[in-house]
Amino acid sequence: MYKKIVHIIKMIVVLMSILLLGFIPFTLRVLSFGMLTSFNRKYLAPVICKFTLFLIGMRIEIHLPEKLPHPAFITFNHNSILDAFGLMAMGLSETRFLMTELILYQMPFGNFMAWGVGCLFIPPKSSRERRIAFLKNCVVRIKKESCSIAGSSEG
């Protein structure tokens, strides 16, 4: 019973952190008309994500090469919501993150961080035509911006 209560408290802390701290990069992006999105990805999101993980007792160390090849597709085996924290904690300013569009409905107020770092919301599998158009747009974006895309290969 005690472990269950601790788990629930940790989840509440994470959700509140996502909501409250995620509002900072969202506000900066809106007020700067998108000019601070790269700043949010490189500096603000890593601090917020590491702090949120610290609140639930997780410590993360990241060792990246000085320069990552661009463009690239970064993929990972998505196991939990914490994967997004780990990915954003890397501070990849030249990378656009993919998130399912469904998250907008599942956690409507918890997406401020995603909007603040300029996540791209991919349509669900059930919207085949929209999804194909979205992926074609990603290819154009990669070529135009010489940026990388990060997302889970599941779904």
Side-chain angles (χ1 to χ4, degrees), residues 22-41 44 111-119:
F23 194 70
I24 298 168
F26 171 75
T27 303
L28 289 176
R29 182 175 184 202
V30 169
L31 292 177
S32 70
F33 300 102
M35 300 297 288
L36 290 176
T37 306
S38 187
F39 170 82
N40 288 344
R41 278 188 210 109
L44 205 51
N111 292 305
F112 289 119
M113 175 71 86
W115 288 320
V117 298
C119 282

Side-chain angles (χ1 to χ4, degrees), residues 5-69:
I5 292 171
V6 169
H7 178 73
I8 290 170
I9 290 171
K10 284 183 178 183
M11 289 308 298
I12 290 171
V13 167
V14 167
L15 292 174
M16 292 306 294
S17 174
I18 292 170
L19 174 62
L20 298 175
L21 296 176
F23 194 70
I24 298 168
F26 171 75
T27 303
L28 289 176
R29 182 175 184 202
V30 169
L31 292 177
S32 70
F33 300 102
M35 300 297 288
L36 290 176
T37 306
S38 187
F39 170 82
N40 288 344
R41 278 188 210 109
K42 186 166 178 103
Y43 300 107
L44 205 51
V47 170
I48 291 171
C49 289
K50 288 177 184 177
F51 178 72
T52 302
L53 292 172
F54 170 78
L55 288 177
I56 61 168
M58 295 180 76
R59 185 171 170 235
I60 186 169
E61 279 187 40
I62 297 167
H63 304 282
L64 293 173
E66 197 143 320
K67 180 110 171 111
L68 292 173

Side-chain angles (χ1 to χ4, degrees), residues 14 17 19 23 47 53 78 80-81 86 98 101 103 126 141:
V14 167
S17 174
L19 174 62
F23 194 70
V47 170
L53 292 172
H78 182 44
S80 76
I81 188 81
L98 295 179
E101 204 175 72
I103 199 81
S126 58
R141 181 176 230 158

